[in-house]
Structure formats: C-alpha cells, structure tokens
Amino acid sequence: MRARIHITKLAAAERQLRAAIRMYFAGEDELAIHTVASAAYGLLRDLKAERGLDEAADNYLASVFYIVRDYRRGTLPRHLASDRSFMAAVEAWAEQIPIGPDARLQDVSATVSPDAARLFWRERSKIASFLKHADRDAGASIVEDEVDNLMLLLQAYNAHQDLTREGSTNEGLVFELYIGASEDPIREPESGAGQIRSMLAFRPEIERRRMCMKLIEEANARRREDAV
C-alpha cells in the first residue's frame, strides 16, 4: 500500500504563510501574495477561534501593547517619539492601561465589542473578498495602493505564533529580521540578529528583500541537507 500524507489545517496555514513570505521577498505580484496570505490568515483566525482566542481583540491589543511598553521603556522609534499628536495619544493610553516596561503580551488580555470585531474583519477582508468573488460585483474595482501585504503578513505571522509552541520557520525568522531592520534605533545591534538587522537597514528596499530571500533559501537548503 502507498503511504499517504495527511495535512492538518495548521500545517496548511503554515505552508501558505511561508510561501506568501517568500513571494513577498521575491517581489512577486502583490495580488497573488495577498490571496495566499489571506488564505493562511483565514485558517489561522478560525483555528484561534476554535481554541477560544479572539484574533480581532488580540490584534487591537498588540497594536497598543508594544507602543505603551516601549514608551515605558523609553525605546519608541524616533519618528514616533517626535510626533507630538501621536505621543499625546500614547500618554493617554499609558495612563489607562497597566502596561509596565517589563510586561509581557501573554500576561495581558483584551476584549472588543461585536461591532468593533465586524469592522476589523470588514476592513481586513476587503481586498481578499474582491479577489475571491465576482458573482455580485463583476464591475467593481480596488485602489492598488490599498493592498497592504506587509501588514497582512505581520498579522498572519503573529496569529501563527499564537497557535504554535514550536520554533519559528526559516521564513518567519527572516521576516522578523526584516521587520526589525525598520526600527530606529536598531534593537540589540551587537547581537548576531542585531548585526543582520543593521545590515538590512542600510540597504535600499529592493536589495533588502533580495537579501532576505537569499537568507531563506540558504537556511532552507541547510535544513534539507540536515534531513538527508
């Protein structure tokens, strides 16, 4: 009898997310990237819900948590810390939310109203729905600038991390380095990861993505060699 491979929903979402990250760094079509990443995010959202986790609430929490924590640490990126109107909002959040400089995201929880959750998913799924259906809106169009694949990939990656205790994939590790290269100042610049983040930070965006793709290809090649 021929052995058959069974793929779980989580494994399928991970494969889609890994592929979407590679496509992003390879500079492939934005709409194709969005379709694959959205499929992964949809699975991850449902898997979180099945475990009693609310992706919309977690997303809102994460967006505020790291800003308030870094504000308490005094490590907000310079472009944010110099924005007076933004800092006024951050100071208001800090007064209302008990997040200290050593707080951990997993120690804080949040809830959102049904209306807020519906708004979140309506905004997040707008482009994906356009790309998926044409039965009732065949003449519709979208503005290409509204396709924000970086944010989608970040949300999907964080959702995947919420569901697995295993180490991040090679694509995920490189994606973290890519995101970290946009921080100012660079976090832990003397560490191995910090040196890579610094190296990426001084490269033009196109070259930065190519370098990330090369890092992934080399890491995956080593993994295949180790598996033999």
Side-chain angles (χ1 to χ4, degrees):
M1 293 179 63
R2 183 172 62 88
R4 304 179 69 183
I5 298 175
H6 294 263
I7 303 169
T8 66
K9 296 280 188 176
L10 181 57
E14 181 179 294
R15 286 171 59 170
Q16 289 173 323
L17 179 57
R18 291 177 61 197
I21 291 172
R22 292 194 302 270
M23 293 167 68
Y24 180 79
F25 288 141
E28 296 192 20
D29 187 273
E30 294 288 339
L31 299 185
I33 297 169
H34 200 90
T35 297
V36 177
S38 293
Y41 195 32
L43 285 174
L44 295 166
R45 172 195 64 191
D46 293 343
L47 289 170
K48 287 188 66 171
E50 192 271 335
R51 299 186 189 184
L53 303 173
D54 187 335
E55 171 60 14
D58 287 348
N59 198 275
Y60 282 122
L61 173 61
S63 63
V64 173
F65 174 86
Y66 289 110
I67 290 174
V68 173
R69 189 197 64 179
D70 289 352
Y71 166 73
R72 294 292 193 191
R73 290 180 174 180
T75 58
L76 276 174
R78 293 190 185 98
H79 71 281
L80 296 179
S82 61
D83 187 326
R84 291 185 179 180
S85 60
F86 177 79
M87 289 306 298
V90 172
E91 290 168 2
W93 293 340
E95 290 180 2
Q96 301 173 27
I97 307 172
I99 297 174
D102 299 320
R104 299 183 305 169
L105 181 60
Q106 57 266 41
D107 296 332
V108 185
S109 62
T111 60
V112 297
S113 68
D115 287 343
R118 280 192 292 270
L119 176 62
F120 174 82
W121 289 116
R122 183 165 64 247
E123 290 299 313
R124 171 41 63 206
S125 62
K126 180 170 62 176
I127 303 298
S129 296
F130 172 86
L131 297 173
K132 186 177 180 180
H133 304 290
D135 53 341
R136 287 174 291 184
D137 57 353
S141 64
I142 56 173
V143 178
E144 189 169 4
D145 290 348
E146 294 181 355
V147 181
D148 188 348
N149 284 327
L150 181 57
M151 179 57 69
L152 173 58
L153 287 170
L154 185 58
Q155 291 172 330
Y157 176 71
N158 288 336
H160 177 262
Q161 293 298 95
D162 289 340
L163 288 167
T164 179
R165 295 182 179 179
E166 299 178 0
S168 183
T169 64
N170 291 328
E171 286 82 358
L173 290 172
V174 174
F175 185 65
E176 287 185 11
L177 293 171
Y178 173 80
I179 294 298
S182 299
E183 297 177 348
D184 183 17
I186 295 294
R187 178 167 36 95
E188 300 176 351
E190 301 303 321
S191 67
Q195 291 178 26
I196 296 175
R197 287 192 287 264
S198 297
M199 177 182 64
L200 293 173
F202 291 101
R203 298 295 194 279
E205 177 62 19
I206 293 178
E207 186 179 350
R208 187 184 301 183
R209 293 196 196 186
R210 288 174 180 166
M211 293 175 67
C212 287
M213 189 65 198
K214 185 176 180 180
L215 289 171
I216 291 172
E217 290 172 344
E218 291 174 349
N220 284 342
R222 288 194 297 270
R223 185 182 62 184
R224 289 191 293 269
E225 291 174 359
D226 292 341
V228 175

